[in-house]
Every structure is written in C-alpha cells, then in structure tokens.
C-alpha cells in the first residue's frame, strides 16, 4: 500500500502567482488533513476534508486559500496571489474510517520569490 | 482551545545514552490522544508513539516510552539506547477524542542531536 503522496515536492512561485498543491491519500483513506509548517515552527492545522466535503477549515486563512477533495482524484490546496509569507512546507495527512492515526505525506516546500 | 508546549528547543545526548523530552499540554477535555512525531532532515513526519488518555498504562514502542501524567497534563518521551538515526526534530501533538477524526495540535518541537 503506497503511502500518502504529495506533489510537487518543491514549488517556486513569484509573488502574485497561484500555487496548487496536490495530495493523494493512502488507498482506502477518505479523510484528508492539511498542515502548514513555517520555518523553525511546528505544524499548524489548516483544514480537514472528507470526500466532497470540508469538515473543519478553522485553520485556513480567510482569503486566498482554498481546499477541495473531489469524489475522484487528489485533494488540492490552492493558494491564490501568493506572498512571501506563504513560503512554508505544506503537509498532507490521511486517515481511514474509524481510526484516529494520521499518516503524513513527505510535504511540499513552497518558496515564493 | 488546546495548547501544547515543548520547553526544550534543543537537546543533545551521547550515543547509547538515555534522553527525555518534555511536553505539557492544556485542555479541558477528558477524552483525547497524545502523540510524539519525529521529523528527520528529510522532513517526513514519522509517528513514534501514541497514548490514549483513558489508558493509565504508559505506552512503549521498543526504545521509546512515555511518562503520561494526566493530572499534571504532562507527556514526556524517553529514548533509551540513543542511536545516531534518532537525530531529528521531535514534536508532541494533541488530538481531541470523542470521534475518530480530528486535527492535531503540535508543540513547537525539540531538536535532538545524538553524538557519536
């Protein structure tokens, strides 16, 4: 069973561009979480999604950030009009039904120039 | 809201020795889970050990064990027989219970260096 996949692993965007981060959960997992890790800090929760539903987006910035987890395909974290402060590592985690342990992907490191 | 505090930004230990990493948390919940994650230079998050709050027995995974003090809201990680591969950032994390799903709240992390 392949682990959680994230791509790209590294993404460079200029200020004002859009960034799209993809996460494919482990097979059979229908719960996806996104976390952000700023330099020298711990991970901060952003959003929790199930297939086609956003369950908890309490950690998402109010503007420019959105997430989806469609019925088919990977979960997408979208950042519009990126700014330098968006530079961070973005981690995705997934879990199966009835299990609280989250399995993490390798992360996407976003650099905004 | 829950908070997790790791008061040791950096720790070091000699190979084969024992080291303890501290973690305290604040919550009004009675049902919750606690975790220690390891983040090596590759940045991959690896689950080291987990503890259910309703269990009085401390969790153990090979060389890793915890000291869970529920009343004191303390959850320390002990690494025995430290190995060079244990060098990493270690994060303590909290998850509210009641359902199987929920967000993790992480501490700031402790950088552990194991010296040969």
């Amino acid at each position: 069973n392949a682990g959680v996949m994230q791509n790209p692993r590294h993404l460079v965007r200029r200020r004002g561009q859009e960034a799209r981060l993809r996460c494919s959960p482990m097979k059979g997992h229908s719960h996806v979480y996104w976390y952000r890790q700023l330099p020298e800090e711990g991970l901060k929760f952003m959003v929790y999604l199930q297939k086609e539903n956003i369950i908890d987006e309490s950690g998402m910035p109010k503007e420019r950030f959105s997430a989806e987890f469609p019925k088919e395909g990977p979960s997408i974290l979208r950042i519009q009009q990126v700014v330098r402060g968006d530079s961070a590592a973005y981690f995705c985690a997934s879990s199966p039904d009835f299990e609280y342990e989250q399995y993490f992907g390798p992360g996407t490191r976003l650099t905004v120039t | 809201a829950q908070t997790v505090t790791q008061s040791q930004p950096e720790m070091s230990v000699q190979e084969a020795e024992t080291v303890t990493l501290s973690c305290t948390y604040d919550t009004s919940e009675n049902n919750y889970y606690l975790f220690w994650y390891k983040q090596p230079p590759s940045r991959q998050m690896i689950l080291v050990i987990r503890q259910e709050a309703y269990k009085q027995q401390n969790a153990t995974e090979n060389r890793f064990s915890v000291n869970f003090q529920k009343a004191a809201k303390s959850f320390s990680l002990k690494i025995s027989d430290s190995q060079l591969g244990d060098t990493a950032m270690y994060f303590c994390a909290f998850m509210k219970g009641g359902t199987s799903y929920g967000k993790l709240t992480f501490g700031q992390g402790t950088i552990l260096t194991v010296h040969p």
Side-chain angles (χ1 to χ4, degrees):
Chain A
N1 191 357
V4 178
M5 310 286 284
Q6 288 188 250
N7 65 79
R9 294 292 307 276
H10 299 276
L11 182 62
V12 179
R13 284 288 178 265
R14 292 193 176 134
R15 280 179 295 171
Q17 291 185 320
E18 178 180 290
R20 280 185 180 238
L21 287 62
R22 293 174 183 76
C23 168
S24 296
M26 290 179 68
K27 188 176 181 180
H29 289 196
S30 58
H31 305 268
V32 166
Y33 306 81
W34 285 93
Y35 295 86
R36 177 166 65 174
Q37 184 178 29
L38 295 170
E40 309 302 325
E41 293 188 15
L43 280 72
K44 296 284 196 296
F45 168 80
M46 298 182 75
V47 62
Y48 161 40
L49 310 102
Q50 293 181 25
K51 285 285 186 181
E52 299 184 280
N53 287 302
I54 297 174
I55 308 301
D56 181 356
E57 56 181 346
S58 59
M60 286 278 271
K62 293 289 184 282
E63 297 178 355
R64 302 187 298 107
F65 285 72
S66 63
E68 63 177 10
F69 187 18
K71 188 176 180 181
E72 301 289 339
S75 175
I76 305 288
L77 179 67
R78 182 181 177 206
I79 311 172
Q80 294 178 291
Q81 299 176 341
V82 297
V83 300
R84 288 228 172 99
D86 297 332
S87 294
Y90 293 82
F91 289 89
C92 166
S94 72
S95 66
D97 288 342
F98 312 116
E99 186 177 322
Y100 61 83
E101 182 175 336
Q102 296 179 18
Y103 299 80
F104 280 81
T108 293
R109 184 174 295 186
L110 172 66
T111 302
V112 180
T113 61
Chain B
Q2 290 76 30
T3 59
V4 178
T5 302
Q6 294 178 247
S7 58
Q8 305 154 315
E10 294 187 42
M11 295 280 284
S12 64
V13 65
Q14 292 295 127
E15 197 174 7
E17 293 188 345
T18 295
V19 64
T20 298
L21 307 184
S22 301
C23 172
T24 58
Y25 57 94
D26 187 24
T27 184
S28 59
E29 303 290 334
N30 192 49
N31 183 12
Y32 52 87
Y33 308 105
L34 296 165
F35 307 83
W36 278 98
Y37 280 89
K38 168 184 177 181
Q39 188 179 44
S42 67
R43 302 185 73 89
Q44 174 74 52
M45 294 290 286
I46 302 166
L47 178 63
V48 175
I49 198 165
R50 61 185 171 192
Q51 174 83 42
E52 292 89 351
Y54 63 84
K55 290 186 177 178
Q56 293 187 347
Q57 187 172 5
N58 289 324
T60 299
E61 289 286 342
N62 300 313
R63 299 182 294 107
F64 299 87
S65 61
V66 298
N67 183 4
F68 173 47
Q69 301 290 327
K70 191 172 184 179
K73 295 180 181 174
S74 170
F75 183 61
S76 61
L77 174 69
K78 185 171 86 171
I79 306 174
S80 304
D81 185 26
S82 297
Q83 301 176 0
L84 297 178
D86 295 333
T87 292
M89 175 83 91
Y90 286 80
F91 292 100
C92 178
F94 172 102
M95 179 191 290
K96 178 180 171 182
T99 68
S100 297
Y101 325 110
K103 61 186 179 184
L104 288 163
T105 301
F106 287 88
Q108 310 93 311
T110 297
I111 299 172
L112 175 66
T113 303
V114 180
H115 297 285

